[in-house]
Coordinates of all heavy atoms in Angstrom, one line a residue:
Chain I
S92 N 9.0 27.7 105.0 CA 10.3 28.3 104.5 C 10.0 29.7 103.8 O 8.9 29.9 103.4 CB 11.0 27.4 103.5 OG 10.2 27.2 102.4
G93 N 11.0 30.6 103.9 CA 10.8 31.9 103.3 C 11.9 32.2 102.3 O 13.0 31.6 102.4
S94 N 11.6 33.1 101.3 CA 12.6 33.5 100.3 C 12.2 34.8 99.8 O 11.1 35.3 100.0 CB 12.6 32.5 99.2 OG 11.4 32.4 98.5
I95 N 13.2 35.5 99.2 CA 12.9 36.7 98.5 C 13.4 36.6 97.0 O 14.3 35.8 96.7 CB 13.6 37.9 99.2 CG1 15.1 37.8 99.2 CG2 13.0 38.1 100.6 CD1 15.8 39.1 99.6
D96 N 12.8 37.4 96.2 CA 13.1 37.4 94.7 C 13.2 38.8 94.3 O 12.2 39.5 94.2 CB 12.0 36.7 94.0 CG 12.2 36.6 92.5 OD1 13.3 37.2 92.0 OD2 11.4 36.0 91.7
S97 N 14.4 39.3 94.0 CA 14.6 40.7 93.6 C 14.0 41.0 92.3 O 13.6 42.1 92.0 CB 16.1 41.0 93.6 OG 16.6 40.9 95.0
S98 N 13.9 40.0 91.4 CA 13.4 40.3 90.1 C 11.9 40.7 90.1 O 11.5 41.5 89.3 CB 13.6 39.1 89.2 OG 12.9 38.0 89.6
S99 N 11.2 40.1 91.0 CA 9.8 40.4 91.2 C 9.5 41.4 92.4 O 8.4 41.7 92.6 CB 8.9 39.2 91.3 OG 9.3 38.4 92.4
N100 N 10.6 41.7 93.0 CA 10.5 42.5 94.2 C 9.5 42.0 95.2 O 8.7 42.7 95.8 CB 10.2 44.0 93.9 CG 10.8 45.0 94.9 OD1 12.0 44.7 95.3 ND2 10.2 46.0 95.2
S101 N 9.6 40.7 95.5 CA 8.7 40.1 96.3 C 9.3 39.1 97.3 O 10.4 38.6 97.0 CB 7.6 39.4 95.5 OG 8.1 38.3 94.8
A102 N 8.6 38.7 98.3 CA 9.0 37.7 99.2 C 7.9 36.6 99.1 O 6.8 36.9 98.7 CB 9.1 38.2 100.7
S103 N 8.3 35.4 99.5 CA 7.4 34.3 99.5 C 7.5 33.4 100.7 O 8.6 33.3 101.3 CB 7.6 33.4 98.3 OG 7.4 34.0 97.1
L104 N 6.3 33.0 101.2 CA 6.3 32.0 102.3 C 5.7 30.7 101.7 O 4.7 30.7 101.0 CB 5.3 32.4 103.4 CG 5.0 31.4 104.5 CD1 6.3 31.2 105.3 CD2 3.8 31.9 105.4
T105 N 6.5 29.6 101.8 CA 6.1 28.3 101.3 C 5.8 27.4 102.5 O 6.6 27.3 103.4 CB 7.3 27.7 100.5 OG1 7.6 28.6 99.4 CG2 6.9 26.3 99.9
V106 N 4.7 26.8 102.4 CA 4.3 25.8 103.4 C 4.0 24.5 102.7 O 3.2 24.4 101.8 CB 3.0 26.2 104.1 CG1 2.7 25.3 105.3 CG2 3.1 27.7 104.7
S107 N 4.9 23.5 103.0 CA 4.8 22.2 102.3 C 4.1 21.2 103.3 O 4.0 21.4 104.5 CB 6.2 21.7 101.9 OG 7.0 21.7 103.0
G108 N 3.7 20.1 102.7 CA 3.0 19.1 103.5 C 1.9 19.6 104.4 O 1.8 19.4 105.6
L109 N 1.0 20.4 103.7 CA 0.0 21.1 104.4 C -0.8 20.3 105.4 O -1.2 19.1 105.1 CB -1.0 21.8 103.5 CG -0.6 23.1 102.9 CD1 -1.5 23.5 101.7 CD2 -0.6 24.2 104.0
K110 N -1.1 20.8 106.6 CA -1.9 20.2 107.6 C -3.1 21.1 107.9 O -3.0 22.3 107.7 CB -1.1 20.0 108.9 CG 0.1 19.1 108.7 CD 0.8 18.8 110.0 CE 2.0 17.8 109.8 NZ 2.6 17.4 111.1
T111 N -4.1 20.6 108.4 CA -5.3 21.4 108.7 C -5.0 22.4 109.7 O -5.6 23.5 109.7 CB -6.5 20.5 109.2 OG1 -6.0 19.7 110.3 CG2 -7.0 19.6 108.1
E112 N -4.0 22.2 110.6 CA -3.6 23.1 111.6 C -2.9 24.4 111.0 O -2.7 25.4 111.7 CB -2.7 22.5 112.7 CG -1.3 22.1 112.1 CD -0.7 21.0 112.9 OE1 -1.4 20.0 113.2 OE2 0.5 21.1 113.2
D113 N -2.5 24.3 109.8 CA -1.9 25.4 109.1 C -2.9 26.5 108.7 O -2.5 27.6 108.3 CB -1.1 25.0 107.9 CG 0.1 24.0 108.3 OD1 0.6 24.1 109.4 OD2 0.4 23.2 107.4
E114 N -4.2 26.1 108.7 CA -5.2 27.1 108.3 C -5.2 28.3 109.3 O -5.3 28.2 110.5 CB -6.6 26.4 108.4 CG -7.7 27.2 107.7 CD -8.9 26.3 107.3 OE1 -8.8 25.5 106.4 OE2 -9.9 26.4 108.0
A115 N -4.9 29.4 108.7 CA -4.7 30.7 109.4 C -4.6 31.8 108.5 O -4.6 31.7 107.3 CB -3.5 30.6 110.3
D116 N -4.5 33.0 109.1 CA -4.1 34.2 108.3 C -2.6 34.4 108.4 O -2.0 34.2 109.5 CB -4.8 35.5 108.8 CG -6.3 35.5 108.6 OD1 -6.7 34.9 107.6 OD2 -7.0 36.0 109.5
Y117 N -1.9 34.7 107.3 CA -0.5 34.9 107.3 C -0.2 36.4 106.8 O -0.7 36.8 105.8 CB 0.2 33.9 106.3 CG 0.1 32.5 106.9 CD1 -1.0 31.7 106.7 CD2 1.2 32.0 107.6 CE1 -1.1 30.4 107.2 CE2 1.1 30.7 108.2 CZ 0.0 30.0 107.9 OH -0.1 28.7 108.5
Y118 N 0.7 37.0 107.6 CA 1.0 38.4 107.3 C 2.5 38.5 107.0 O 3.3 38.0 107.8 CB 0.7 39.3 108.5 CG -0.8 39.4 108.8 CD1 -1.4 38.6 109.6 CD2 -1.5 40.4 108.2 CE1 -2.8 38.7 109.9 CE2 -2.9 40.6 108.4 CZ -3.5 39.7 109.3 OH -4.9 39.8 109.6
C119 N 2.9 39.2 105.9 CA 4.3 39.5 105.8 C 4.5 40.9 106.4 O 3.6 41.7 106.6 CB 4.7 39.5 104.3 SG 3.8 40.7 103.2
Q120 N 5.8 41.2 106.7 CA 6.1 42.5 107.4 C 7.5 42.9 107.0 O 8.4 42.0 106.9 CB 5.9 42.3 108.9 CG 6.4 43.5 109.7 CD 7.7 43.3 110.4 OE1 8.0 42.2 110.9 NE2 8.6 44.3 110.3
S121 N 7.7 44.1 106.8 CA 9.1 44.7 106.6 C 9.1 46.1 107.1 O 8.2 46.5 107.8 CB 9.5 44.5 105.1 OG 10.8 44.8 104.9
Y122 N 10.1 46.8 106.6 CA 10.3 48.2 107.1 C 11.2 48.9 106.1 O 11.7 48.3 105.1 CB 11.0 48.2 108.5 CG 12.2 47.3 108.6 CD1 13.5 47.9 108.4 CD2 12.1 46.0 108.8 CE1 14.6 47.1 108.5 CE2 13.2 45.2 108.9 CZ 14.5 45.7 108.7 OH 15.6 44.9 108.8
D123 N 11.3 50.2 106.3 CA 12.1 51.0 105.3 C 13.3 51.6 106.0 O 13.6 51.4 107.2 CB 11.3 52.1 104.6 CG 10.7 53.1 105.5 OD1 11.2 53.2 106.7 OD2 9.8 53.8 105.1
S124 N 14.1 52.4 105.3 CA 15.3 53.0 105.9 C 15.1 53.9 107.0 O 16.0 54.2 107.8 CB 16.1 53.7 104.8 OG 15.4 54.7 104.2
S125 N 13.8 54.4 107.1 CA 13.4 55.3 108.3 C 12.8 54.5 109.4 O 12.2 55.1 110.3 CB 12.5 56.4 107.8 OG 13.1 57.2 106.8
N126 N 12.9 53.2 109.3 CA 12.3 52.3 110.2 C 10.8 52.4 110.4 O 10.2 52.1 111.5 CB 13.0 52.4 111.6 CG 14.3 51.8 111.6 OD1 14.5 50.6 111.2 ND2 15.3 52.6 112.0
H127 N 10.1 52.8 109.3 CA 8.7 52.7 109.2 C 8.3 51.2 109.0 O 8.7 50.6 108.0 CB 8.1 53.6 108.1 CG 8.3 55.0 108.3 ND1 9.0 55.8 107.4 CD2 8.0 55.8 109.4 CE1 9.0 57.1 107.9 NE2 8.4 57.1 109.1
V128 N 7.6 50.7 109.9 CA 7.2 49.2 109.8 C 5.9 49.1 109.0 O 4.9 49.8 109.2 CB 7.0 48.7 111.2 CG1 6.5 47.2 111.2 CG2 8.3 48.8 112.0
V129 N 5.9 48.2 108.1 CA 4.7 47.9 107.3 C 4.4 46.4 107.3 O 5.2 45.6 107.2 CB 5.0 48.4 105.8 CG1 3.8 48.0 104.9 CG2 5.3 49.9 105.8
F130 N 3.1 46.2 107.5 CA 2.6 44.8 107.4 C 1.8 44.7 106.1 O 1.1 45.7 105.6 CB 1.6 44.5 108.5 CG 2.3 44.3 109.8 CD1 2.5 45.3 110.7 CD2 2.6 43.0 110.2 CE1 3.1 45.1 111.9 CE2 3.2 42.8 111.5 CZ 3.4 43.9 112.3
G131 N 1.8 43.5 105.5 CA 0.9 43.3 104.3 C -0.5 43.1 104.8 O -0.7 43.0 106.1
G132 N -1.4 43.1 103.9 CA -2.8 43.0 104.3 C -3.3 41.7 104.8 O -4.4 41.6 105.3

Side-chain angles (χ1 to χ4, degrees):
Chain I
S92 63
S94 62
I95 63 167
D96 179 359
S97 294
S98 66
S99 59
N100 213 36
S101 65
S103 294
L104 173 70
T105 301
V106 187
S107 58
L109 276 168
K110 300 184 176 184
T111 55
E112 68 204 46
D113 298 331
E114 192 161 286
D116 293 327
Y117 291 84
Y118 294 90
C119 61
Q120 172 259 314
S121 190
Y122 50 96
D123 63 17
S124 57
S125 299
N126 286 307
H127 294 124
V128 175
V129 175
F130 287 89

